[in-house]
Amino acid sequence: MSLLAYVDPADAPAGDSADDPADASAEASADVRRVETEYRPGGAVDVTATLRPLQRGSGDPAFRVVGSDTWLGLRTPCGPASVVIRRVGSSIAVSAWGAGAEWAVEHAPDLLGRGDDWSGFDASGHPFLADARHRQPGLRLLRTNTVVAMLVPAILEQKITSQQAWRAWRYLLRRFGTPAPGPAPVDMVVPPAADEWARIPSWEWHRAGIEPGRSATVMRAVQVAPALERTLGLGRGGSVVSARLQSIPGVGKWTAAETAQRAHGDPDSPSVGDFHVPALVGWALTGGPVDDDGMLELLEPWRGHRERVVRLIGGSGFRKPSFGPRMTIQDHRGH
């Protein structure tokens, strides 16, 4: 495993160096300076499958797949960053632009599954899971190292369908996000920072389809952003992280799990309270639907790795049967 990072000033257009008096600002210069890394994971990594949990619907302004390149608009502690990731032989090439580029490059290996340990996971006793693992050797659990950036969209997805939540996400990012720096695809956006979420007026939340309860939860979360980010020091999730997240009124088990899965890389945080996940797990493992309690009972043999099981099922292509005509669903994920 190797990590090599460097800044390539040659990518700055002529006349746009920091010494050029025509340069508008240091930030503008940072936007066109590329920072690169070559990550050698020492094993299979499926870039697209590993990063897929970051995508909030097919029209997510902060996530784009262009050919073999995956583009991300990331809000880092150091500012916005555009990141492009591609597999190059046995290595993974990462390039980033913007004020947060160096931070993004430094943490790119975590984003691609560094530290995600599958050695204690044994699927051999269940034919479906054994086959799913065999077919997905490059699946890794990502860790973004950004809590608020993962918590806000999870709050937006409470109590409504994914389509409604993703529509709200697109609206809010396009209205209040930052244009992705550097040569990112057209219309890509970096999500707002904590203080920028806090300044969104009530009528804009309404226009996005977010009722006062959820917008108030976002406001409470961003007010304690530094404390939330400190939970990253507690490791890859777990009960203490979950409790810290749930200390915010309006954040419950489902929202905490969805956040820890992405921000912390928690391998054992299945989304209890989800409208779809228990039925998917039940049909995949037993051939019939189950509720939350039934899902947890089925996943118990893999305690410590329960989210890995859910991810394997989701990535396997398995689909639970559909019954009857489609209807508008009130999502019961709650908090």
Side-chain angles (χ1 to χ4, degrees):
M1 184 180 298
S2 173
L3 178 62
L4 307 173
Y6 63 93
V7 177
D8 186 359
D11 286 309
D16 271 5
S17 70
D19 295 328
D20 190 337
D23 187 15
S25 67
E27 183 176 353
S29 179
D31 280 358
V32 297
R33 186 183 67 216
R34 184 174 69 195
V35 183
E36 294 185 319
T37 187
E38 181 179 306
Y39 173 52
R40 300 185 180 94
V45 174
D46 185 328
V47 172
T48 301
T50 297
L51 297 178
R52 186 64 68 188
L54 297 180
Q55 184 176 22
R56 308 286 176 172
S58 60
D60 186 348
F63 188 105
R64 191 81 53 86
V65 176
V66 182
S68 59
D69 294 347
T70 299
W71 283 87
L72 306 172
L74 297 182
R75 175 60 61 177
T76 81
C78 299
S82 296
V83 182
V84 62
I85 302 172
R86 68 178 68 89
R87 188 88 203 199
V88 181
S90 61
S91 301
I92 301 174
V94 181
S95 297
W97 295 260
E102 292 187 41
W103 188 97
V105 161
E106 179 185 352
H107 292 85
D110 290 347
L111 198 64
L112 294 163
R114 180 178 62 183
D116 178 34
D117 184 7
W118 288 71
S119 63
F121 177 73
D122 182 8
S124 62
H126 195 287
F128 175 89
L129 285 181
D131 181 67
R133 180 57 180 155
H134 175 73
R135 293 175 180 274
Q136 301 175 81
L139 177 63
R140 295 289 180 267
L141 302 189
L142 62 85
R143 175 181 164 101
T144 66
N145 291 293
T146 54
V147 180
V148 170
M150 298 298 105
L151 177 58
V152 170
I155 294 170
L156 300 186
E157 293 176 1
Q158 293 173 355
K159 300 181 180 180
I160 59 175
T161 65
S162 295
Q163 293 299 325
Q164 292 171 306
W166 294 339
R167 185 163 54 247
W169 177 248
R170 292 193 298 269
Y171 176 83
L172 291 168
L173 260 61
R174 288 168 179 158
R175 289 281 289 136
F176 301 102
T178 302
V186 175
D187 296 330
M188 276 203 73
V189 175
V190 175
D195 62 328
E196 293 169 332
W197 284 115
R199 291 196 295 268
I200 296 177
S202 59
W203 60 86
E204 292 287 6
W205 292 105
H206 177 74
R207 288 173 180 170
I210 303 298
E211 85 289 345
R214 280 183 292 155
S215 62
T217 300
V218 172
M219 295 299 103
R220 287 189 289 267
V222 299
Q223 286 170 5
V224 294
L228 292 174
E229 301 301 335
R230 286 196 292 271
T231 64
L232 294 166
L234 298 173
R236 301 184 77 88
S239 60
V240 176
V241 168
S242 181
R244 296 278 179 88
L245 295 174
Q246 291 182 65
S247 69
I248 300 169
V251 173
K253 288 183 179 180
W254 182 87
T255 308
E258 290 281 311
T259 302
Q261 290 164 13
R262 296 165 173 81
H264 302 79
D266 193 337
D268 194 45
S269 59
S271 300
V272 174
D274 196 277
F275 184 85
H276 300 287
V277 172
L280 179 66
V281 171
W283 278 104
L285 298 185
T286 68
V290 297
D291 58 11
D292 281 326
D293 290 340
M295 176 182 72
L296 292 176
E297 183 177 351
L298 289 174
L299 294 176
E300 183 60 30
W302 296 283
R303 177 172 285 276
H305 303 276
R306 291 175 296 178
E307 176 59 18
R308 297 190 198 282
V309 174
V310 176
R311 288 291 310 281
L312 283 172
I313 294 171
S316 70
F318 176 85
R319 297 292 180 267
K320 61 185 177 66
S322 299
F323 299 99
R326 288 187 175 272
M327 59 181 293
T328 300
I329 297 172
Q330 175 64 39
D331 198 327
H332 298 289
R333 288 175 288 193
H335 300 319

